Amino acid sequence: DQGCKHDTLKTIIIGKPPKPDFTWSSYCEGDVTQFADQSVTSQGVIDNYNWDFGDGQSSTLQNPGNNYANFGIYDVKLTVSTSAGCANDTTKRVYILDLIAPTADDAYSINFENGPETWVAVANGATVDNSWIFGLPGGEINSANSGTSAWWTGGNNDSYFRNEESFVIGPCLNLTAIKRPMISLKYWSDMQIGFDGAVVQYSTNGGNTWATI
């Protein structure tokens, strides 16, 4: 009633949050696992990174490395924030593999009858659907090498998930003590042509690239 008034003006930025993403390589036990930031933003610039490696270690670098003490599967979380004040995070499951060094007199061999040992089943990237199960399959094992235990995709009512991208991966093998290393692998797959499929692959550079056998 005294005729006084006041106003203020503030700039409010409305935009999409950043899209955090990353890749990783060098995942054998004892290696320094390298993480590569793949995050993007359409508003401002990304100016803060916060990594949680799932083993109690963390980093604020854009492209850090982490040395995991034990093999296993770790949930790695990356949180990014921008100069516009927006933040977002993503979590991926990173697998660290056991390191085995066979020799000419002590070969590496497994038939899975004593358990999965250090083989692990993981989904690709941030995909959470993983139908791999270890044990006695719900269907018939056709031409099994031995015994009854196997890795099979039955986690979705004895089948796999729609658009699933997953795999079973074995330990890292250091073959430097063998002059002419040879690998023998027996596997069986039951697939519908044009709808699903499976391949056997290997990597010699820490998972940066994979080749199909």
Side-chain angles (χ1 to χ4, degrees):
D1 59 354
Q2 300 298 319
C4 299
K5 65 179 182 178
H6 179 71
D7 60 53
T8 185
L9 177 65
K10 291 185 178 182
T11 300
I12 299 177
I13 300 175
I14 305 298
K16 294 182 178 180
K19 294 182 178 180
D21 193 15
F22 63 90
T23 60
W24 70 94
S25 60
S26 298
Y27 44 69
C28 296
E29 183 180 12
D31 288 346
V32 176
T33 302
Q34 299 294 334
F35 293 89
D37 169 54
Q38 303 289 321
S39 306
V40 295
T41 183
S42 59
Q43 195 76 46
V45 296
I46 298 175
D47 56 5
N48 186 271
Y49 299 86
N50 195 321
W51 296 82
D52 180 349
F53 297 121
D55 63 345
Q57 303 298 316
S58 61
S59 176
T60 57
L61 297 177
Q62 181 179 3
N63 300 299
N66 186 53
N67 193 335
Y68 289 91
N70 301 297
F71 70 87
I73 299 177
Y74 298 87
D75 289 331
V76 177
K77 181 179 180 180
L78 169 62
T79 303
V80 298
S81 58
T82 69
S83 58
C86 298
N88 203 358
D89 63 73
T90 186
T91 300
K92 292 185 178 183
R93 287 196 163 181
V94 172
Y95 46 89
I96 304 300
L97 304 179
D98 189 19
L99 178 61
I100 298 175
T103 66
D105 299 320
D106 184 20
Y108 172 74
S109 177
I110 184 174
N111 61 9
F112 296 118
E113 289 311 303
N114 294 321
E117 295 193 16
T118 57
W119 290 63
V120 294
V122 292
N124 186 28
T127 304
V128 296
D129 292 334
N130 187 344
S131 65
W132 287 99
I133 299 174
F134 179 81
L136 179 64
E140 177 185 358
I141 299 181
N142 191 347
S143 301
N145 184 37
S146 65
T148 57
S149 295
W151 284 101
W152 65 294
T153 51
N156 184 26
N157 295 321
D158 289 345
S159 184
Y160 51 82
F161 294 95
R162 182 180 179 87
N163 299 322
E164 177 179 342
E165 294 184 15
S166 62
F167 47 93
V168 175
I169 189 167
C172 296
L173 299 178
N174 183 347
L175 304 177
T176 56
I178 305 176
K179 291 183 178 180
R180 298 181 61 185
M182 298 180 64
I183 297 177
S184 176
L185 176 66
K186 293 183 179 181
Y187 79 102
W188 176 79
S189 58
D190 182 12
M191 298 169 290
Q192 185 177 0
I193 297 177
F195 287 87
D196 50 21
V199 295
V200 178
Q201 296 182 318
Y202 70 95
S203 175
T204 59
N205 56 12
N208 286 310
T209 58
W210 291 85
T212 300
I213 296 177

